[in-house]
Amino acid sequence: MIRRYDEHHLEALGAQLHLPLTERVCPLCGHAALRDYHHEKYGRTEPSWINYLWCGDCHAYSSSFTGAGRRMVNSDPLLAEHGDRIAEVFRDPERLLRILDGYWKAGSLPQAISRRPRAR
């Protein structure tokens, strides 16, 4: 069963932002098994991301929507596999995390992030 991180868990996660993802500890289960996924959201005036952070052990998770700034995702295995059906996958967090865990185990995640070229 999956569970969303609450505000106290998010505070504990925020205190670990200086650490590499592989060293951050899940505030629910205590395992260093955090994983992340970013999906670029199009159709806005500024580049943005839908972000998921979850524990590969207990499947606690959070999701957020942030500006991407000049950063861009180099590959998105979920988009490549599900294309325009991706919104359907996002509506079912349990299914989404199962799929993302599969990508993590197969080596398709974590994603490479790079700087977006400046507009001319």
Side-chain angles (χ1 to χ4, degrees):
M1 183 172 96
I2 64 168
R3 176 178 166 186
R4 287 186 72 95
Y5 289 122
D6 67 22
E7 65 184 77
H8 301 292
H9 301 134
L10 293 174
E11 283 178 25
L13 289 167
Q16 299 180 58
L17 287 177
H18 66 285
L19 296 172
L21 183 65
T22 56
E23 294 178 19
R24 297 180 201 171
V25 175
C26 174
L28 274 173
C29 72
H31 287 93
L34 292 181
R35 300 170 174 181
D36 64 2
Y37 165 76
H38 310 283
H39 172 71
E40 287 193 65
K41 183 74 174 160
Y42 301 102
R44 298 188 173 265
T45 57
E46 295 291 322
S48 56
W49 285 352
I50 299 169
N51 307 293
Y52 281 86
L53 176 71
W54 77 99
C55 175
D57 189 64
C58 72
H59 284 139
Y61 78 100
S62 71
S63 62
S64 63
F65 186 77
T66 60
R70 291 203 45 225
R71 299 169 299 158
M72 62 185 229
V73 177
N74 292 343
S75 66
D76 186 342
L78 189 66
L79 180 62
E81 183 175 338
H82 295 277
D84 48 350
R85 296 182 338 270
I86 198 168
E88 173 188 322
V89 178
F90 283 137
R91 284 192 288 273
D92 184 350
E94 192 165 346
R95 177 181 176 206
L96 172 65
L97 295 181
R98 212 174 29 250
I99 292 169
L100 294 177
D101 272 336
Y103 293 146
W104 200 274
K105 290 172 186 165
S108 299
L109 292 176
Q111 293 156 296
I113 307 297
S114 64
R115 285 188 73 73
R116 186 180 313 278
R118 289 194 185 272
R120 294 179 189 224

